[in-house]
Amino acid sequence: MSKNIEIIAFVTLQKEKVLGGNPLLLLAANEEDQKQMTQDIAKALKADVVKMKNGDYLVISHPR
Amino acid sequence: MGDGMLSKEYIIVIVTATIVGTLARLFSLKADLRQYPSYPNGYLINLFVGFIAAAVGAVALPALLTKNFTAITFLTVAIQQFRDVRKAERDSLKDLENTEFTKRGDAYIDGIAKTFEARNYISLIVSFMTAITMLLVKTKMVTLEILIGAIVGFIVFYLIKRYSKGKSIGDIADVREGKIEVRDSELFVDDLYVTNLLGTENGQNLFQKEGIAVVIYPRERHFSIALDNFGQRQAILFDAARALGVKRYSFTRKEYAEGRIIITFVPIIHDVNKLIESVKNTPLLESVKKSHSVMQTNLVGKE
């Protein structure tokens, strides 16, 4: 099974989680902003979204 | 027979056997329409290669009888050609992978390519048997010889077709509709976890409203070995997706306790019966098929 899943972005509300590096780490102002940012990135890149139990979002891409 | 010219008798044998062999290829193409894309050019290519196979089978015996032994070496060339048919089919299907709703997968492609190679051998054998029959049955009526040759040819075709026919998912498993449930960003089918990829509200609503799911229940526990195979599940998902189209998302999931397999996606056309039918008709891939009886056989005298 070859699944090269890639994390494109990590969208969080907690400043201390934004450490830099790869993937793109984004700090949202509030929950609404977080949802909107995640959705916009996912739509633009035709990617999937995982909502983690702690409230952070991962935007991930599956190769077709 | 003289001056290198074939006699009328042999010409009748060759022509009849070639026609019967080509018809055998045509009938096997029709029976295999589900596996084969229905674009006319692909259909024509396979029919023409089938005609070549039939012609090779038809001339083999008259060539021997007229002491043209070198002509028999064409058989080896033909076999190489048929191997190329398998390779060409495989390359063609692999090239199309990125244009499909979901991937066919290497196992399914390998199965289809092998089938197409085998179909040419069917053509060859059918025309060969037709030619043998016509040369053995000597009557004064040419029409009767042709008729008997064609009948034997079609009987051989029927027997080989029956022998080479593989099983499908419906033969080893029951397929029932699954109940979709979205809990936060997680997707469940019949209470079985499938994925947590529904992170957005749009995705959750889409799956809850328009998603479709089936659950495959193996009839015997050992059938799970074939059904759990990734290539087999990919083939099932591909056939299901091709039958209904995919608007968004497509997942398969296996469950080990009862050996259930889940197939779920958001289709373009929401038709559960059609989905169940297409899953049942998905071929059981030759490369993943395991013979339970052979595995139980005491081959080397072990206790």
Side-chain angles (χ1 to χ4, degrees):
Chain A
M1 191 187 307
S2 62
K3 274 192 172 180
N4 299 318
I5 298 167
E6 194 190 343
I7 300 173
I8 299 169
F10 178 79
V11 188
T12 184
L13 288 170
Q14 294 162 284
K15 199 177 176 181
E16 59 274 18
K17 284 186 181 172
V18 183
L19 301 169
N22 198 22
L24 176 69
L25 286 157
L26 295 170
L27 180 65
N30 52 49
E31 266 189 43
E32 204 49 49
D33 183 37
Q34 188 188 20
K35 273 185 193 174
Q36 196 58 52
M37 275 164 73
T38 308
Q39 199 163 306
D40 288 348
I41 296 167
K43 271 184 182 173
L45 301 173
K46 292 183 179 172
D48 290 319
V49 174
V50 175
K51 188 181 182 187
M52 295 163 77
K53 299 281 184 198
N54 61 8
D56 295 335
Y57 285 90
L58 284 177
V59 181
I60 61 172
S61 74
H62 288 95
R64 268 192 51 84
Chain B
M1 174 79 52
D3 300 332
M5 289 289 289
L6 277 174
S7 69
K8 190 182 165 191
E9 182 200 355
Y10 286 141
I11 289 172
I12 291 170
V13 169
I14 291 169
V15 170
T16 310
T18 305
I19 290 171
V20 174
T22 310
L23 283 176
R25 184 70 193 101
L26 179 69
F27 295 148
S28 59
L29 261 181
K30 272 192 175 174
D32 204 32
L33 207 61
R34 180 187 42 74
Q35 273 197 14
Y36 194 74
S38 59
Y39 37 78
N41 291 327
Y43 200 91
L44 187 68
I45 289 166
N46 278 284
L47 195 61
F48 189 73
V49 178
F51 165 74
I52 301 289
V56 170
V59 298
L61 209 58
L64 266 181
L65 293 173
T66 52
K67 295 181 180 162
N68 281 315
F69 299 113
T70 48
I72 295 301
T73 57
F74 273 96
L75 277 175
T76 56
V77 178
I79 286 169
Q80 189 55 48
Q81 287 297 319
F82 303 151
R83 284 191 189 282
D84 287 346
V85 167
R86 188 209 291 203
K87 195 172 173 296
E89 198 65 37
R90 187 187 291 140
D91 291 347
S92 165
L93 290 173
K94 276 191 177 172
D95 287 345
L96 291 172
E97 281 285 73
N98 286 328
T99 66
E100 302 285 359
F101 290 120
T102 62
K103 286 188 174 181
R104 261 192 187 88
D106 290 341
Y108 201 7
I109 288 174
D110 182 65
I112 295 171
K114 265 184 197 162
T115 306
F116 278 105
E117 185 186 351
R119 294 279 156 84
N120 288 310
Y121 295 129
I122 293 178
S123 259
L124 193 146
I125 295 166
V126 166
S127 67
F128 185 72
M129 293 306 288
T130 307
I132 285 185
T133 310
M134 287 180 71
L135 289 168
L136 286 176
V137 180
K138 290 279 179 194
T139 62
K140 284 180 183 174
M141 286 175 69
V142 180
T143 327
L144 190 65
E145 275 180 31
I146 293 173
L147 193 67
I148 293 170
I151 288 170
V152 170
F154 286 122
I155 289 171
V156 170
F157 169 64
Y158 172 75
L159 292 174
I160 302 176
K161 190 86 179 60
R162 209 176 139 182
Y163 166 76
S164 62
K165 191 178 184 295
K167 283 188 174 175
S168 58
I169 298 299
D171 295 326
I172 64 161
D174 294 315
V175 184
R176 288 175 220 148
E177 186 182 1
K179 186 174 171 269
I180 289 174
E181 203 181 332
V182 179
R183 300 176 196 159
D184 296 328
S185 64
E186 294 178 342
L187 172 68
F188 291 80
V189 172
D190 280 6
D191 271 339
L192 293 169
Y193 170 82
V194 178
T195 185
N196 65 349
L197 281 179
L198 306 179
T200 59
E201 280 173 17
N202 284 352
Q204 290 160 19
N205 292 336
L206 182 71
F207 224 108
Q208 190 68 68
K209 281 181 191 161
E210 299 182 36
I212 197 167
V214 287
V215 184
I216 303 167
Y217 299 81
R219 291 197 192 125
E220 302 278 346
R221 195 67 187 93
H222 62 88
F223 290 147
S224 292
I225 299 168
L227 290 171
D228 278 2
N229 181 283
F230 181 63
Q232 183 65 63
R233 284 188 289 134
Q234 209 171 13
I236 297 169
L237 183 62
F238 176 82
D239 272 2
R242 196 171 51 171
L244 302 182
V246 177
K247 200 181 271 184
R248 186 86 168 87
Y249 303 114
S250 57
F251 307 109
T252 70
R253 192 85 186 175
K254 55 187 170 184
E255 180 263 343
Y256 291 107
E258 290 176 51
R260 285 178 288 179
I261 303 288
I262 294 159
I263 304 288
T264 184
F265 56 99
V266 180
I268 295 170
I269 299 163
H270 200 288
D271 187 338
V272 178
N273 293 330
K274 208 171 172 182
L275 175 61
I276 290 173
E277 204 54 40
S278 79
V279 171
K280 279 183 174 176
N281 286 331
T282 305
L284 196 59
L285 303 180
E286 207 174 297
S287 57
V288 304
K289 206 161 59 181
K290 299 279 176 288
S291 173
H292 188 61
S293 56
V294 169
M295 288 164 90
Q296 284 183 335
T297 307
N298 188 356
L299 289 172
V300 285
K302 284 182 187 168
E303 287 302 314

